[in-house]
Amino acid sequence: AGWSRTPKSVAGVECFAGEEGLRPFLARTDILVVLLPLTPDTRGILDQKLFSTLARDGALGGPVVINAGRGGLQHEADLLTALDDGTLIGASLDVFGEEPLPAASPFWDHPKVMLTPHAAASSEASVLARTILKQIEAFERGEPLRNLVDRERAY
């Protein structure tokens, strides 16, 4: 299943959309993979309220959060509380509100946390260069550009 701000249709995937679709999506989700952009609407979205709505009847015996999106999505104090009180049974975190993660952060030694070095997506320079070159060529020909930031959506 997947959740998005706007309705999507993907063959073989149950899709949920918008504010009205978020809670039903979370209620059946025990492994939450978060790849959201950081916008005013998503800042702090990963909080105690959200964690408490995740499914608890999955194969792992409780919910897990994987955040490879943006550090500002997670309310880190709530995340630690949810891990400590059993609301979450684990978290895999690639991003944090402050990076690099301070040496004194409790995430470093937390037994229910797996840390990765903000490397969830690696980019190949030659692929990036080809993509940039195609954009420049399209611009010079007066053609529409691809993958533009929508300033209204903030991503």
Side-chain angles (χ1 to χ4, degrees):
W3 177 80
S4 175
R5 175 191 249 182
T6 56
K8 305 278 188 277
S9 179
V10 179
V13 176
E14 186 174 4
C15 298
F16 297 82
E19 190 66 35
E20 68 280 354
L22 182 57
R23 297 299 170 209
F25 168 74
L26 294 172
R28 57 176 293 181
T29 301
D30 61 333
I31 300 174
L32 180 62
V33 179
V34 183
L35 302 171
L36 295 170
L38 183 59
T39 70
D41 292 335
T42 62
R43 181 171 297 281
I45 194 170
L46 300 176
D47 62 8
Q48 184 63 36
K49 182 178 175 185
L50 182 141
F51 301 142
S52 69
T53 64
L54 291 168
R56 306 198 59 74
D57 58 356
L60 298 176
V64 172
V65 170
I66 300 168
N67 185 7
R70 297 286 180 241
L73 298 171
Q74 61 202 18
H75 188 283
E76 292 178 0
D78 284 5
L79 182 54
L80 286 165
T81 298
L83 290 163
D84 290 340
D85 71 13
T87 301
L88 295 174
I89 64 164
S92 177
L93 306 172
D94 191 58
V95 291
F96 298 91
E98 181 181 347
E99 293 182 356
L101 187 62
S105 171
F107 287 115
W108 284 113
D109 297 320
H110 201 289
K112 295 181 180 178
V113 175
M114 176 183 289
L115 301 177
T116 53
H118 199 140
S122 60
S123 301
E124 178 87 27
S126 62
V127 173
L128 291 174
R130 281 193 302 272
T131 301
I132 293 168
L133 182 59
K134 287 179 183 178
Q135 283 286 74
I136 292 170
E137 290 169 346
F139 177 79
E140 289 175 344
R141 289 190 301 267
E143 297 172 2
L145 302 179
R146 300 183 68 211
N147 305 313
L148 297 178
V149 171
D150 180 337
R151 296 196 186 274
E152 294 251 338
R153 288 179 146 177
Y155 62 91

